[in-house]
Amino acid sequence: MDDDNPTSQIYDVAIVGAGPAGLTAALYAARSGLSTVMIERGVAGGQAATTHMIENYPGFPDGVAGPELMAQMQQQAEKFGAEVVQADVDALELGGETKKVKSGSQEWAARTIILAMGAYPRKLGVPGEDDLVGGGVSYCATCDGAFYKGKKVAVVGGGDSAIVEALYLTRFATEVTVIHRRAELRAAKVLQDRAFNHEKVKFAWNSVVTSVEGEGILDHLVLKNVKTGEETELKVNGVFVYVGYDPNTALVKGQVGLDPHGYVVAGEDTKTSLPGVFAAGDLRVKGLRQVITAAADGAVAAEQALRYVEENEA
């Protein structure tokens, strides 16, 4: 293949995104004998690669570091012949017999496409947030936690991700305040118990962040009590936001069916509204979004891609 012109080869399957769904799809597709290329703009692993410890993935009774698990998944996929390309996909052409993935002047053509772009962290949407990203505002404790050794930080959110990362931040920070809009957490009980029993973890209940304050670097958060309306200031050096995710589906809007929230409409068979196009992982409409369900989607999508290629061979 001409390295400067990827379209000189038509792959059996192109996978967009290299999180747990994409990596598993690449493994299953390549192992089935399909020529497989997986395009990812950053480090493989998606959200899982930024998770300090994953405790609910089968086979790891003591948990496994997210980056470690994702690196092993990538190694396994490449072992069976999947090509992994680092590129920022800026356009997709999903109609017709041959689909195309575009990145600048580069293109990859494939008989089938597996959409595995995942989701991205939802922002608070308050004044000062965008201005102070990199100056105290973060969406990844694993990435940035070490910068806050000996300092005070806050975590916004009450689900599993928020509490896992709050506990991780206690390795560095002297105090971690969990800010939650309700009076109780949504995280699993085992995580709640750890947080409640940790001397460094504090809680700001029934509270939301209304603004992020600082000149170039975070100085404090303004909190509002949703029950009383009272506003207070919380002095912290960093704030980590875990208030949910939005699907990364801008590239496919108008091409495949999306639900009102922007998730790709695809059933357990991962089939989208277009023949030969499948959706796996967090961008798909589904009830549970975890590493294991993303991996399951990837396996199913690869199997469906195999069937599609076999049924449409000349």
Side-chain angles (χ1 to χ4, degrees):
M1 183 180 74
D2 182 351
D3 290 337
D4 294 327
N5 181 21
T7 53
S8 61
Q9 175 177 351
I10 298 179
Y11 292 88
D12 291 319
V13 58
I15 302 163
V16 185
L23 289 167
T24 307
L27 164 63
Y28 273 71
R31 192 169 180 271
S32 295
L34 298 178
S35 56
T36 304
V37 62
M38 179 169 55
I39 302 103
E40 165 61 46
R41 66 181 175 184
V43 176
Q47 294 174 41
T50 66
T51 301
H52 162 61
M53 184 63 64
I54 298 172
E55 294 187 312
N56 56 0
Y57 195 80
F60 297 91
D62 297 321
V64 58
E68 177 187 343
L69 180 61
M70 294 303 101
Q72 291 177 352
M73 283 189 176
Q74 179 176 350
Q75 182 180 0
Q76 194 173 10
E78 291 178 319
K79 173 185 175 182
F80 286 101
E83 295 180 36
V84 181
V85 177
Q86 189 169 11
D88 194 352
V89 175
D90 50 42
L92 295 172
E93 291 182 5
L94 303 179
E97 292 185 8
T98 301
K99 295 85 169 64
K100 292 182 179 179
V101 180
K102 298 184 177 183
S103 174
S105 62
Q106 290 187 305
E107 291 184 355
W108 293 266
R111 296 175 179 85
T112 65
I113 293 276
I114 296 175
L115 305 172
M117 294 90 75
Y120 55 89
R122 186 176 299 152
K123 293 184 177 182
L124 295 172
V126 300
E129 180 180 13
D130 290 341
D131 296 335
L132 292 177
V133 170
V137 176
S138 176
Y139 305 89
C140 176
T142 305
C143 309
D144 300 327
F147 294 121
Y148 296 93
K149 189 172 183 178
K151 299 181 179 180
K152 294 183 178 181
V153 301
V155 172
V156 185
D160 284 358
S161 294
I163 303 308
V164 165
E165 301 310 328
L167 290 167
Y168 171 70
L169 288 165
T170 61
R171 294 169 171 240
F172 311 103
T174 58
E175 184 176 287
V176 180
T177 301
V178 176
I179 303 165
H180 190 40
R181 64 169 54 246
R182 299 180 178 87
E184 58 184 20
L185 300 174
R186 294 180 290 106
K189 188 176 184 304
V190 64
L191 296 175
Q192 293 191 40
D193 290 344
R194 288 179 196 168
F196 293 147
N197 291 322
H198 201 293
E199 61 181 7
K200 288 186 178 182
V201 180
K202 315 298 180 186
F203 296 89
W205 299 111
N206 298 313
S207 298
V208 295
V209 178
T210 58
S211 69
V212 179
E213 303 288 338
E215 294 294 329
I217 187 167
L218 177 62
D219 179 76
H220 66 273
L221 305 174
V222 177
L223 306 185
K224 179 180 179 180
N225 186 294
V226 297
K227 290 189 176 294
T228 66
E230 179 186 3
E231 288 196 340
T232 57
E233 292 184 0
L234 179 65
K235 234 4 203 186
V236 289
N237 303 106
V239 58
F240 295 81
V241 180
Y242 290 94
V243 293
Y245 294 86
D246 290 314
N248 192 16
T249 53
L251 289 174
V252 300
K253 187 175 182 180
Q255 297 194 74
V256 299
L258 304 179
D259 79 352
H261 302 289
Y263 289 92
V264 177
V265 177
E268 292 300 317
D269 59 6
T270 73
K271 292 180 179 179
T272 70
S273 55
L274 285 179
V277 180
F278 309 94
D282 286 1
L283 56 62
R284 183 175 78 82
V285 172
K286 57 197 304 181
L288 180 65
R289 293 182 174 89
Q290 295 285 303
V291 174
I292 193 167
T293 61
D297 279 0
V300 173
E303 175 66 19
Q304 292 294 335
L306 174 63
R307 292 183 184 179
Y308 181 88
V309 169
E310 291 176 342
E311 291 170 0
N312 288 275
E313 283 181 337

